[in-house]
Amino acid sequence: MIRSLLPASPGALDDDALHRLYAYPAVERPYVRFNFIASADGAATSGGLSAGLGNDGDKRIFVVLRRLADVVLVGAGTVRAEGYEGDLVDGASKSWRSARGLAAHPGVAVISGSLDLDPTAGFFREAPVRPLILTCGRAPAGKRAALEAVADVVDCGRDTVETAGILAELERREQRRVICEGGPAVFGNFTRADAVDELCLSISPLLTGGEGPRISVGGGPDEPRALALVSLLTEDSALYTLYRRIP
C-alpha cells in the first residue's frame, strides 16, 4: 500500500493517482527522467544487481514509469548485467497505452560507444520492438555491421557518444518522454551535460555495507544542479522520491 507523505494524502494511492503524479509535462523536446534505487547507506546494488534492493512498492512505481514513457533509455552495461530480455511492459500496460493512442510497447534505446553487445543475445532475439543503439563514429566497424542486422545503429558523436547527440536522435524520432534506467556512467554523463530533468530515487530500508557502487559515476558539472522535491511516497519503510530540476 503506497501512501503519499508529500503532498500529504490520506489512504493508499491507486494506479490512476500514480499516473497523475508521474505524468510528464507537456514539452517540445526530450524530457529526461532517471529512475534509480539505493540502499539506506548509499549502495546502488545488492548482490551486484539493483533488483536486490526493491520491494513491491518500488516494482509498482517502476511499472508506472515505463508505462508512461515513449522510450526506455539504458546503458549497455546495464543491459548486460540486468538482462532486459523480452517485454519491458506487461499486458495491462500495453492495453493502457494503446487505449491512449500510444504505441503498445515503448521504444528501447541502448547507449554503447564500444558496441560490446552480443547480437545473438536474448535482448535482441526477444526484442518486442526493434532496438536503437546509440553509438559513436569510432565504434568498431565489424561490431556495427553485426548489430545493424538486429537493431538501428546511430552515431551520436564522432569520438564518444555525446548526450546532445542522443537527445537530438530521440527528438528526431519524437520520443520525448524518456525514462532512463542507468547505469551510473550514463547518469553521470547526463548530469555533467545538465540534461537531467527529473530523478526518481527509491531509498531501500536496507544496510548493505561493503563497497557497492553509487548511482552516478564520472566527473560532475562545474556547479551542482539544484533539485526540488516534488513528491515523497512510502511503503514498508521504503521511500520513493521524485526530484525535479529547478529552472
Side-chain angles (χ1 to χ4, degrees):
M1 184 178 72
I2 297 177
R3 295 181 295 109
S4 180
L5 303 177
L6 176 72
S9 177
L13 299 183
D14 60 16
D15 282 355
D16 286 342
L18 292 175
H19 294 149
R20 290 192 296 271
L21 182 67
Y22 289 105
Y24 284 81
V27 292
E28 296 183 356
R29 61 166 180 84
Y31 187 92
V32 182
R33 167 182 287 166
F34 274 81
N35 183 42
F36 277 99
I37 189 169
S39 66
D41 54 349
T45 63
S46 177
L49 298 175
S50 61
L53 297 172
N55 65 0
D56 288 343
D58 177 69
K59 294 172 184 175
R60 186 176 163 205
I61 291 172
F62 190 71
V63 167
V64 167
L65 295 181
R66 283 184 172 179
R67 180 179 292 175
L68 295 169
D70 292 327
V71 60
V72 177
L73 177 66
V74 65
T78 299
V79 170
R80 290 191 295 268
E82 305 277 355
Y84 278 74
E85 298 177 355
D87 287 339
L88 300 186
V89 295
D90 59 17
S93 293
K94 290 180 181 180
S95 297
W96 187 93
R97 291 171 59 86
S98 296
R100 287 156 182 80
L102 303 174
H105 196 287
V108 182
V110 181
I111 302 170
S112 178
S114 66
L115 294 182
D116 187 15
L117 293 161
D118 180 0
T120 68
F123 171 74
F124 294 105
R125 292 197 319 270
E126 302 173 22
V129 294
R130 186 173 174 86
L132 168 65
I133 309 297
L134 303 164
T135 189
C136 63
R138 293 185 62 182
K143 292 183 177 180
R144 181 191 299 269
L147 287 168
E148 285 177 338
V150 293
D152 293 343
V153 182
V154 177
D155 288 343
C156 296
R158 186 182 69 178
D159 298 321
T160 62
V161 187
E162 298 173 1
T163 300
I166 292 171
L167 297 178
E169 180 61 22
L170 295 181
E171 170 62 22
R172 189 183 73 81
R173 294 169 177 259
E174 297 184 352
Q175 294 178 327
R176 299 188 178 102
R177 295 181 295 185
V178 183
I179 181 66
C180 189
E181 299 175 357
V186 175
F187 191 26
N189 289 339
F190 272 71
T191 299
R192 189 163 54 252
D194 196 23
V196 178
D197 292 295
E198 288 185 0
L199 170 61
C200 299
L201 176 62
S202 296
I203 302 173
S204 173
L206 296 174
L207 297 175
T208 64
E211 299 179 354
R214 293 184 55 197
I215 65 171
S216 179
V217 298
D222 293 335
E223 295 291 336
R225 158 59 66 181
L227 303 174
L229 181 63
V230 176
S231 72
L232 179 62
L233 312 181
T234 187
E235 179 180 273
D236 294 336
S237 296
L239 297 173
Y240 316 113
T241 68
L242 172 57
Y243 289 99
R244 185 171 295 152
R245 63 182 288 156
I246 298 175

